[in-house]
Amino acid sequence: MSTSHVLLGLLARGERHGYDLKREYDARFPKARPLAFGQVYATLDRLLRDGLAATAGTERVGGPERTTYILTEAGRAALAEWLATVETPAPYVVNPLFAKVIVALLCGGGDGGTAAAKYLRDQRAAHLERMREYTAIKVDAASPLGEVLAADHALVHLDADLRWIDTALSRITTLSQEVAP
């Protein structure tokens, strides 16, 4: 997810302070990787530099001085282009799960895939636990629909990982022989 584009999208709704942008990001994307205040302000600096956002003013209301940011026409165009761009399906098959399995086999010293299989079983347990957390969100009638949709998305990806983990476990002995140094 592009933090720059998400912040542009939040600014499209009207002028905001950096603090407000972080708060709205946290509310709209509660299950996303946390966004630090420093990341918000560094991203805003880049948006200003690139002419995609501008400062609308500063104010002090019972605390530190706050700068208000607005979206520029160039920012609106960049946001529209990003929203219209179809995401390319993952072109690479190497992800952390796969990479760890291969490295575990390389470092296993001819253990027949025991270290890699243990990693996969542990990873499977972690995936199942995370799936239980997301399922709890889905069945909670008080969960906002946006949060339920985010949980659905995560569950589909976790389920795909589980199927891959099960396939890898069923092939670990053969893979170990193929990868063995």
Side-chain angles (χ1 to χ4, degrees):
M1 175 170 60
S2 165
T3 302
S4 295
H5 290 102
V6 171
L7 292 184
L8 286 174
L10 296 176
L11 283 173
R13 300 184 59 228
E15 64 183 55
R16 302 269 196 292
H17 299 106
Y19 174 81
D20 294 332
L21 289 167
K22 172 160 174 34
R23 190 175 61 220
E24 188 169 358
Y25 175 92
D26 290 345
R28 301 283 180 195
F29 305 102
K31 299 299 178 197
R33 177 176 291 157
L35 187 60
F37 280 108
Q39 187 177 2
V40 170
Y41 289 106
T43 302
L44 286 169
D45 285 344
R46 285 190 299 279
L47 294 175
L48 290 169
R49 178 199 67 205
D50 296 341
L52 303 177
T55 57
T58 57
E59 61 184 39
R60 179 175 292 209
V61 181
E65 191 172 83
R66 291 187 182 176
T67 302
T68 305
Y69 300 89
I70 58 170
L71 194 60
T72 64
E73 286 306 313
R76 284 188 193 287
L79 179 60
E81 182 180 338
W82 178 69
L83 289 171
T85 303
V86 174
E87 292 295 321
T88 304
Y92 306 106
V93 295
V94 175
N95 65 40
L97 296 176
F98 178 74
K100 283 188 176 186
V101 168
I102 296 301
V103 170
L105 290 171
L106 289 171
C107 297
D111 70 355
T114 303
K118 179 185 179 335
Y119 163 73
L120 286 167
R121 285 191 300 275
D122 291 347
Q123 189 64 55
R124 187 175 201 292
H127 269 57
L128 289 171
E129 179 58 33
R130 182 56 53 97
M131 289 177 84
R132 283 190 281 279
E133 293 169 11
Y134 284 128
T135 300
I137 291 168
K138 287 182 50 127
V139 299
D140 182 354
S143 294
L145 182 56
E147 205 167 316
V148 170
L149 286 173
D152 284 337
H153 186 265
L155 282 165
V156 168
H157 284 271
L158 290 167
D159 183 60
D161 283 349
L162 278 179
R163 286 187 309 228
W164 180 86
I165 288 168
D166 289 342
T167 300
L169 277 167
S170 72
R171 297 175 175 169
I172 201 69
T173 302
T174 305
L175 184 61
S176 174
Q177 294 165 354
E178 188 176 296
V179 173

